[in-house]
Amino acid sequence: MDSRPREAPAPAEPSGGAAPAAANGEVEITKPRNDKRGYRRVVLPNALECLVISDPDTDKAAASMNVSVGYFCDPEGLPGLAHFLEHMLFYASEKYPIEDSYSKYIAEHGGSRNAFTSREHTNFFFDVNNDCLDDALDRFAQFFINPLMSPDAILREVNAVDSENQKNLLTDILRMSQLQKHICLESHPYHKFSTGNRNTLLVNPNKEGLDILEELITFYSSHYSANLMQLVVYGKESLDNLQTLVENKFSDVRNTGRKRFSFYGHPCSSEHLQVLVKAVPIKQGHTLRILWPITPNIQHYKEGPCKYVSHLVGHEGKGSLFYVLKKLGWAMSLRAGEGDWSSVFSFFSVVIRLTDVGHEHMEDIIGLLFRYITLLQTSGTPKWIFDELLTIRETGFHYRDKSPPSQYVVNISSNMQIFPPEDWLIASSVPSKFSPDAIQSILNDLTPDKVRIFWESKKFEGQTNLTEPWYGTSYSVEAVPPSIIQNWVNRAPMEDLHIPKPNIFIPSDLSLKNVEEKGSFPCMLRKTLFSIVWYKPDTMFFTPKAYIKMYFHCPLSRSSPESIVLTDMFTRLLMDYLNDYAYDAQVAGLYYAVKPNDTGFQITMVGYNDKMRTLLETVIGKIAAFEVKVDRFVVIKETITKAYENFKFQQPHQQASYYCSLILEEQKWTWDEKLAAISHTEASDLEKFLPHLLGKTFIESYFAGNMEPGEVKGVIQHVEDILFNAPVSLCKALPSSQHLTKRIVKLERGLRYYYPALCLNQQDENSSLLHYIQIHQDDLKQNVLLQLLALVAKQPAFHQLRSVEQLGYITWLKQRNDSGVRGLQFTIQSTVKDPANLDARVEAFLKMFEGTLYQMPDIEFKSDVNALINMKLEKYKNIREESAFFWREISEGTLKFDRKEAEVAALRDLKKEELIEFFDNHVKVNAPRKKILSIQVYGRLHTNEYEKVVHDEPQPHSYQITDIFSFRRSRPLYGSFKGGIGQMKL
């Protein structure tokens, strides 16, 4: 498939140069046809370029400051300094000297905040409830006016950066990215290590006699200049008021006249080309990454040559490279597109996940790739392909869904660094000028004499002689001159490679349906022995899009590890068979997926409604006529096997979450049971299983958006006719007595259950704690009390456990909801303390927080309640968000479609004493109704502590879980809200 760059954009000079600075508001910014928001460009006297966005319908305000300085600017000998400064600016300022006051304010007023550092920019952003934008902006602006950086905070945040780096060390995608940077010119900024760690930011500078605080201040003073900043502010106020707000808050940002950091040339000299790099990953699997240095697409963004080329190279339809590799059984996936890029250099990459057989045919795969590229180079550049892409991208731009304001402002502020003002919204998303020469230029760069091949496999263990210094990746390098690649081309199998055919899924009817019933909530449209259908017309977004969710409830799917594996196999094969046909639907903006779920499997579709029925009926037809193809079964079996084998390489906090679900969910199988099951599964087993799986089926559906009720009924009738009413059909009705329900273990009051486990990856030094406090099953009053408590405690927990105690980069407090059973969950991942110690620190925090809660001023309580009310009253941004809420109510059987309105009403009557009573009864240390489950995953640094905790006698009122399944069987379960689905009544 066509892939997009993962990192945020780097600065570039657009073709023809950026537009000259214009007076405030003079630029007409291109915006989508359906976008009712107001936009105004403002340039402050200090040269800070701003965009204010007025959206009277928004529920959230947001802002993003993009600074045209990234890790490329890190001084020699101080890797990670730009990233470290990003961390430090959150702490305090001269105007707001209380540490973490900015983060506290944002959290207490319904918002979130974050930042990231890229190659050539650093981006800071937040969102907050509408009425708090003024105060939030005032705090935010001080980062760029007078920040405070104390020596004490320096030491603590170095630990946070180091913990972040520790978290990343065993992540293959980051390891390989750094390896690609490593094999290039050391003098080029691309070669740098971006994250930093304790050694680069503290130990080594101390040895060199450098004061890291002074270095930070120098870096900030040198690079953080108003003329290198781009600000976006989004709110419901008028453009005039937003402009005044920006002028008042940000005019004091200093302009030192700093020129933007610049560099010249590509990071790869001739010695870094024509190379084959063999590397050893952490996870099982084989991957080929083929890269070429190219002219950055940003220099010709109006022409979009890279988008044209990546569309063809990454295509998955008949005649494509991937289609051929898949048919040969050599590839599991392929993506192509521009990778790491800036204004000066760029790479075009093709990334292919190989099967075991494909790994043995690497030379043939490279040969076929170059044969296909040669075909593209010599067959011209058909304009109809460009026109097709233009239609798809124009439609996508003009019918773009609203996104969360924080995400929107980040995207735009990043664009402001790159594009002229008129293109800040559209950016490079809609190439509008057909240029065969620009396309041919990119194709001509994809040659054997410029190639870099990175080949990853565990099979290379013991065959490498080099080590990348920052992540410790083992690798070797060998030359692959063009003559060798030409031999591979000549020897590769002769396959029918050709460009794709025209896309039949491009929507042609974008009209809006006239639906008479405009209900705010879903209604049950139809119910039979075979299915139930819920329907919700579009009353909010007015776009030619729809959403479909179909749950196939098949009790046999969860009855054993073998049945889980076979159901997974069935859905993956179904997607595999559909791929060459339905890939065009995804390209044209019609997303679909078939996946297993808790009670069987599901079909999801979202996008333009015009061709949606065609796609759905094709999927249903494939289910009805499903046959097991042995060659594809073998490939899919290998894919699933590797996924289970790689489970042990998940982060420790992810393993803790897995154990928690395993303990709480009534019917859940372990990853190693499923791995064992798949090892002896054959194609014949799936052939025998499928009639039994579908032999008892009930379909529960939700249709929403630009569809009429009669149309929905017609679709479902067609589905029933194909699956249930055909002369020979696999599907039979499911009796109500056999419907599956997902039920949750009820923990005992006054007991602390704990489950210690060694980290499955023996190399991982990180340990993790998941401290879960189970409280109640879905109840209106208790729901809002829990939500309010989580809101009030979230930032103090983060500040104390991460910022002050420096337990680890990953430190979360959040609500947990397991099929309507709710509670609080602390998650900490750490190298500095073992999980039992982390558990004690959570208890210590709760003891400290007790006083904070008891002494909370009434005005602060009211403010927190109002913040939560505002969060609940937020409108859905798009049909996905709306459908996700309503579908959850349907799938869990709660059917509280007015949940938000009811909870807001409950919040308005809430008293502070009720919150304190809730905390005292359920959450505080030794609370009488408290139910605790402590999941403790011990990493390599804490194996001794694991042995101790396993063999020590449990403390009073504590219970060590030694056998998950015996424990699960011994506990009562919460009742399910879901009766027999066919019997549900409103």
Side-chain angles (χ1 to χ4, degrees), residues 535-753:
Y535 168 69
K536 166 72 173 65
D538 180 6
T539 57
M540 185 178 295
F541 312 110
F542 307 108
T543 60
K545 296 182 180 181
Y547 181 100
I548 296 175
K549 180 77 80 172
M550 300 184 76
Y551 262 29
F552 286 69
H553 295 277
C554 309
L556 188 62
S557 67
R558 313 296 293 178
S559 59
S560 67
E562 286 78 11
S563 65
I564 292 265
V565 163
L566 288 167
T567 304
D568 190 7
M569 185 77 73
F570 163 62
T571 60
R572 289 180 188 242
L573 277 170
L574 190 62
M575 289 286 285
D576 186 79
Y577 298 166
L578 288 162
N579 189 66
D580 58 275
Y581 168 77
Y583 175 75
D584 275 343
Q586 312 248 34
V587 171
L590 177 51
Y591 166 86
Y592 83 105
V594 186
K595 294 180 179 178
N597 61 26
D598 291 327
T599 60
F601 64 97
Q602 66 188 49
I603 298 171
T604 305
M605 290 189 181
V606 60
Y608 302 110
N609 59 276
D610 182 30
K611 307 291 196 310
M612 190 175 279
R613 179 168 184 167
T614 302
L615 181 59
L616 179 60
E617 290 182 356
T618 303
V619 175
I620 297 299
K622 282 285 185 186
I623 293 173
F626 187 85
E627 57 179 282
V628 180
K629 299 175 183 175
V630 176
D631 58 335
R632 298 311 300 162
F633 178 91
V634 171
V635 172
I636 299 301
K637 177 179 176 178
E638 182 187 325
T639 304
I640 298 175
T641 300
K642 284 188 169 70
Y644 288 141
E645 288 174 340
N646 287 328
F647 180 87
K648 58 180 173 288
F649 299 114
Q650 285 191 331
Q651 293 265 335
H653 74 88
Q654 294 170 315
Q655 294 179 33
S657 182
Y658 156 76
Y659 286 126
C660 189
S661 296
L662 199 60
I663 288 169
L664 292 177
E665 293 179 21
E666 176 191 18
Q667 193 174 40
K668 192 176 179 74
W669 308 101
T670 65
W671 70 275
D672 47 343
E673 285 178 308
K674 290 183 276 190
L675 178 59
I678 200 169
S679 66
H680 56 72
T681 299
E682 302 300 334
S684 58
D685 296 313
L686 182 56
E687 286 176 341
K688 294 171 190 170
F689 172 75
L690 200 59
H692 296 290
L693 175 73
L694 297 174
K696 290 182 177 177
T697 301
F698 185 85
I699 304 174
E700 185 175 23
S701 302
Y702 174 77
F703 285 68
N706 194 36
M707 302 183 86
E708 295 168 338
E711 183 183 359
V712 173
K713 289 177 183 177
V715 170
I716 291 300
Q717 185 61 58
H718 177 82
V719 170
E720 288 190 5
D721 288 344
I722 296 296
L723 295 180
F724 294 94
N725 300 326
V728 179
S729 58
L730 286 176
C731 297
K732 300 290 185 293
L734 175 66
S736 61
S737 61
Q738 296 180 33
H739 281 276
L740 283 181
T741 55
K742 185 177 175 183
R743 299 182 64 188
I744 303 301
V745 163
K746 182 183 286 189
L747 302 178
E748 189 171 332
R749 290 179 180 177
L751 266 184
R752 172 184 166 273
Y753 299 98

Side-chain angles (χ1 to χ4, degrees), residues 143 147 181 322 368 374 378 487 572 633 647 685 696-697 731 854 857 866 886 942 961:
F143 296 173
K181 296 176 186 179
F322 178 68
L368 283 167
T374 301
T378 57
N487 286 336
R572 289 180 188 242
F633 178 91
F647 180 87
D685 296 313
K696 290 182 177 177
T697 301
C731 297
Y854 292 168
N866 289 334
F886 288 133
H942 300 126
I961 299 172

Side-chain angles (χ1 to χ4, degrees), residues 9 29 150 224 258 286 397 489 502 646 741 807 849 938 951 962:
I29 297 171
S150 70
Y224 275 55
R258 177 80 182 186
H286 325 284
F397 177 69
V489 173
N646 287 328
T741 55
L807 297 178
F849 179 71
Y938 288 77
H951 294 108
T962 54

